[in-house]
Amino acid sequence: QVQLVESGGGSVQAGGSLRLSCAASGFTYRRCVGWFRQAPRKEREAVATMRPLGSAAYRYDYADFVQGRFTISKDASKNIVYLQIDSLKPEDSATYYCAAAQGIACRLDSADFDYWGNGTLVTISS
């Protein structure tokens, strides 16, 4: 059974940093994985995706609003995917979800993802 469990959220002041983690069980991360977020009264939006290209290469895609502040990565030995967020802004406040795809499609689009965690809440104060 596939399970994704996020952690690392919290309340942080603007300008700070957070590292979110997503621990997987039931599969390995040799597949497309992504981070999404959803703010109150807004639709879920993609943040970043990471797709394996070969033995050790990956393709990384980021939403336009990221502007170099977010970094997706993984630790294969621990089966954990991370989202590093720097220079946090109040508008980054949201519940952040990690997701994994069953197929090969790996767009910045929630429709490509089949497995989801329950989310971790990030609150940024100004």
Side-chain angles (χ1 to χ4, degrees), residues 27-49:
F27 72 99
T28 64
Y29 274 128
R30 286 298 299 174
R31 64 173 70 200
C32 172
V33 293
W35 283 93
F36 294 75
R37 69 183 188 181
Q38 186 168 19
R41 298 174 298 281
K42 292 189 176 181
E43 292 190 355
R44 186 173 299 188
E45 62 181 352
V47 175
T49 62

Side-chain angles (χ1 to χ4, degrees), residues 10-115:
S11 297
V12 180
Q13 284 196 324
S17 298
L18 278 175
R19 189 177 76 162
L20 308 182
S21 300
C22 179
S25 60
F27 72 99
T28 64
Y29 274 128
R30 286 298 299 174
R31 64 173 70 200
C32 172
V33 293
W35 283 93
F36 294 75
R37 69 183 188 181
Q38 186 168 19
R41 298 174 298 281
K42 292 189 176 181
E43 292 190 355
R44 186 173 299 188
E45 62 181 352
V47 175
T49 62
M50 179 176 173
R51 177 165 65 93
L53 296 178
S55 60
Y58 288 85
R59 170 175 172 152
Y60 303 88
D61 288 300
Y62 293 93
D64 290 341
F65 67 79
V66 166
Q67 298 176 336
R69 299 186 298 116
F70 294 59
T71 304
I72 186 172
S73 64
K74 76 178 186 71
D75 183 331
S77 65
K78 298 178 181 178
N79 218 23
I80 296 176
V81 172
Y82 300 103
L83 183 69
Q84 176 72 34
I85 314 174
D86 299 315
S87 302
L88 281 157
K89 303 176 181 180
E91 52 264 41
D92 293 323
S93 296
T95 298
Y96 284 73
Y97 300 89
C98 71
Q102 180 69 32
I104 61 173
C106 191
R107 298 169 296 167
L108 288 165
D109 188 334
S110 60
D112 288 350
F113 293 81
D114 304 282
Y115 306 105

